[in-house]
Amino acid sequence: MKSLLIKGGRVIDPSRNLDDTADILISNGSVEAVGKNLKNSSEAEVINADGLVVTPGLIDMHVHLRDPGQEYKEDLFSGSRAAAAGGFTAVAAMANTDPVGDDPALINYIQDRSRHAAARVYPVGALTKGLEGKEMAELGRMKKAGAVAFSDDGKPVVNSMLMRNALHYATGIDALIIVHEEDPFLAAGGMMHEGSVSSILGLRGIPAAAEEAMLARDLIIIKITGGRLHIAHVSTAGSVELVRRAKSEGLQVTAEVTPHHLLLTDRAIKNSGYSTNTKVNPPLRSEHDRQALWEGLLDGTIDAIASDHAPHHPDDKDVEYDFAPCGIAGLETTLSLMLDEYSSGRIKRLALPLLIEKMSTAPAGILGIPGGTLQPGSPADLTIIDLNRTMTVNPSDWYSKSRNTPFAGRRLTGVPICTIVGGRIVMKEGVVTENGQ
Ligand SMILES: [Zn+2]
């Protein structure tokens, strides 16, 4: 493998509080050195990063790659190409596939099949067998096989005793549990956030309480079990407050937020003329909630930004609002959406190192996977960003098989221009150069 020398970029490494102009030497798939005026002794290929930002590879800790079972929506290869195109070097793939990822064989399938994919794919195992919420899956065996966390994402774990047992068991094997917090009775039949907009539109709402009630339950259970709990796609002001309080009490709780919950509200449903690309679970909330999510992200209550990449085929989404499946495909927009918020100055306290921490260092730490750092000796997973370049969101150009985004047509400033995985350039100038097939 050829060595790489990335010269003169603004290197941001939140794991070491580094934000300075430096060179990075990569050899044999690892970061060899970070420093000023590094010598090109090994005839490395030189990448001129003058005027560019160089960061640890971005990690999306919440994606749905639909493989196995729904490869017409996405598969491990198209999903990893979409990740690489979006500046991500690694993703964590949820278990709501067909068959469900509730068995070591499925964990092995994902690892084997994605071995040569453009980005690293880390499998998340199901928490309960068949995602049915009745019987705990074999967490220990799946963890040995390589599952980085356990989740029934897409579905809440309704049975409180099962949740208690799962958290208790997970504590014993130091496993992370990721929860999709939703009380299905409170949410039943809901299409969008319950509030003034749902009243005007005459669509049945999902109250904030559906998320908060379940979250409060789990935060109470974890007090008796211990363990590590990660809250997927926090969407309400009340949830942010609950997580904030849990952290102040010393509970091992982390949380993520999606770009769509940070950038859109329930008004997007009305303004888009009921576009089903605005239908997502949890739903787009109120402006009050949106502001609280930003506050939570900036004050450290929310640890990570994740896309919840949920690809759907156009045929699935091209139906009435009531019948459309929930989900937004986000791998190829997440970074630019966030960079655009940064460069526009709309969010006053949003600093670039903080953004990189939420998209790289924090998810690596939560999942306990390599990456999130440019410390010499660590895997050479890097993202190079041009803060000044603009792009227009055009889903027909995507590497993802899906097109479902409410952001189509948005002009964004800030683009990933190179993705490096294990010392190999997998994306350059928007073109994914390695697809593993
Ligand atoms: Zn979910």
Side-chain angles (χ1 to χ4, degrees):
M1 192 188 304
K2 215 169 181 311
S3 298
L4 294 173
L5 179 62
I6 304 170
K7 279 202 79 76
R10 175 182 169 191
V11 177
I12 297 179
D13 180 358
S15 78
R16 295 193 292 161
N17 267 328
L18 176 68
D19 181 358
D20 200 1
T21 304
D23 303 340
I24 301 176
L25 181 63
I26 292 168
S27 61
N28 298 319
S30 299
V31 176
E32 189 174 307
V34 180
K36 303 258 183 200
N37 304 314
L38 293 182
K39 293 258 176 324
N40 189 2
S41 48
S42 53
E43 294 184 1
E45 178 185 340
V46 175
I47 298 176
N48 179 10
D50 190 19
L52 304 175
V53 175
V54 186
T55 74
L58 304 184
I59 297 169
D60 192 340
M61 66 179 300
H62 188 154
V63 306
H64 300 270
L65 297 185
R66 310 297 191 208
D67 185 352
Q70 290 186 308
E71 291 89 344
Y72 70 101
K73 295 184 179 193
E74 198 78 288
D75 62 44
L76 288 163
F77 293 104
S78 64
S80 339
R81 282 186 215 116
F88 292 100
T89 55
V91 299
M94 289 295 173
N96 61 340
T97 48
D98 184 13
V100 168
D102 62 0
D103 184 272
L106 265 298
I107 304 299
N108 290 335
Y109 164 86
I110 291 179
Q111 290 175 319
D112 290 346
R113 207 164 135 73
S114 63
R115 187 145 289 140
H116 302 290
R120 300 180 199 271
V121 180
Y122 291 99
V124 174
L127 187 62
T128 71
K129 288 185 181 167
L131 303 179
E132 286 176 349
K134 292 179 184 154
E135 197 183 340
M136 209 195 308
E138 299 201 54
L139 310 193
R141 286 180 60 217
M142 281 193 283
K143 185 161 192 279
K144 272 207 185 89
V148 293
F150 299 95
S151 182
D152 277 4
D153 181 60
K155 289 182 171 184
V157 178
V158 180
N159 183 327
S160 310
M161 191 60 194
L162 183 63
M163 188 52 134
R164 177 184 181 173
N165 288 338
L167 272 168
H168 184 71
Y169 183 77
T171 310
I173 58 168
D174 190 29
L176 175 73
I177 290 183
I178 301 175
V179 277
H180 167 122
E181 301 292 27
E182 177 183 1
D183 181 312
F185 303 102
L186 286 170
M191 300 288 144
M192 63 177 292
H193 173 62
E194 180 182 296
S196 57
V197 182
S198 66
S199 302
I200 293 165
L201 298 183
L203 284 173
R204 183 145 177 171
I206 300 171
E211 177 173 311
E212 293 157 9
M214 203 59 129
L215 172 57
R217 180 203 71 172
D218 289 342
L219 294 177
I220 290 167
I221 293 175
I222 199 178
K223 281 188 196 175
I224 51 173
T225 59
R228 293 189 291 136
L229 190 66
H230 178 76
I231 319 301
H233 43 54
V234 165
S235 76
T236 77
S239 293
V240 175
E241 192 45 43
L242 284 166
V243 173
R244 189 176 284 128
R245 203 183 318 154
K247 285 189 165 188
S248 75
E249 290 171 8
L251 298 175
Q252 288 190 76
V253 176
T254 52
E256 74 192 25
V257 65
T258 71
H260 46 272
H261 290 110
L262 286 170
L263 298 182
L264 300 175
T265 67
D266 51 358
R267 289 184 186 280
I269 297 157
K270 185 162 170 263
N271 297 342
S272 67
Y274 297 86
S275 165
T276 56
N277 288 331
T278 61
K279 189 173 175 187
V280 65
N281 189 14
L284 302 173
R285 299 289 187 181
S286 69
E287 179 62 18
H288 169 67
D289 294 307
R290 194 182 78 84
Q291 297 287 346
L293 293 173
W294 274 112
E295 192 52 45
L297 190 74
L298 294 169
D299 75 11
T301 302
I302 297 175
D303 304 85
I305 297 167
S307 71
D308 191 8
H309 179 73
H312 288 293
H313 192 272
D315 289 351
D316 297 319
K317 279 285 197 182
D318 193 15
V319 294
E320 285 172 57
Y321 207 86
D322 302 32
F323 300 110
C326 292
I328 289 171
L331 275 171
E332 284 164 88
T333 53
T334 291
L335 176 60
S336 289
L337 285 167
M338 299 313 301
L339 290 174
D340 192 67
E341 290 305 297
Y342 163 72
S343 55
S344 69
R346 276 189 291 274
I347 308 297
K348 292 279 174 289
R349 286 178 291 140
L350 181 61
L352 202 51
L354 182 103
L355 194 53
I356 302 307
E357 185 202 327
K358 306 282 182 191
M359 297 183 71
S360 177
T361 310
I366 295 167
L367 294 172
I369 58 176
T373 180
L374 296 172
Q375 178 84 32
S378 54
D381 291 6
L382 294 93
T383 306
I384 304 179
I385 294 164
D386 187 338
L387 288 176
N388 299 314
R389 198 177 295 193
T390 59
M391 65 99 119
T392 303
V393 178
N394 182 4
S396 57
D397 290 345
W398 282 359
Y399 282 92
S400 170
K401 290 183 185 177
S402 292
R403 307 281 176 260
N404 50 308
T405 175
F407 297 110
R410 273 217 194 189
R411 198 166 170 74
L412 304 173
T413 301
V415 177
I417 57 157
C418 185
T419 309
I420 298 169
V421 177
R424 272 194 287 258
I425 296 172
V426 294
M427 184 278 279
K428 200 170 187 178
E429 301 288 338
V431 178
V432 177
T433 50
E434 180 165 310
N435 61 25
Q437 286 186 328

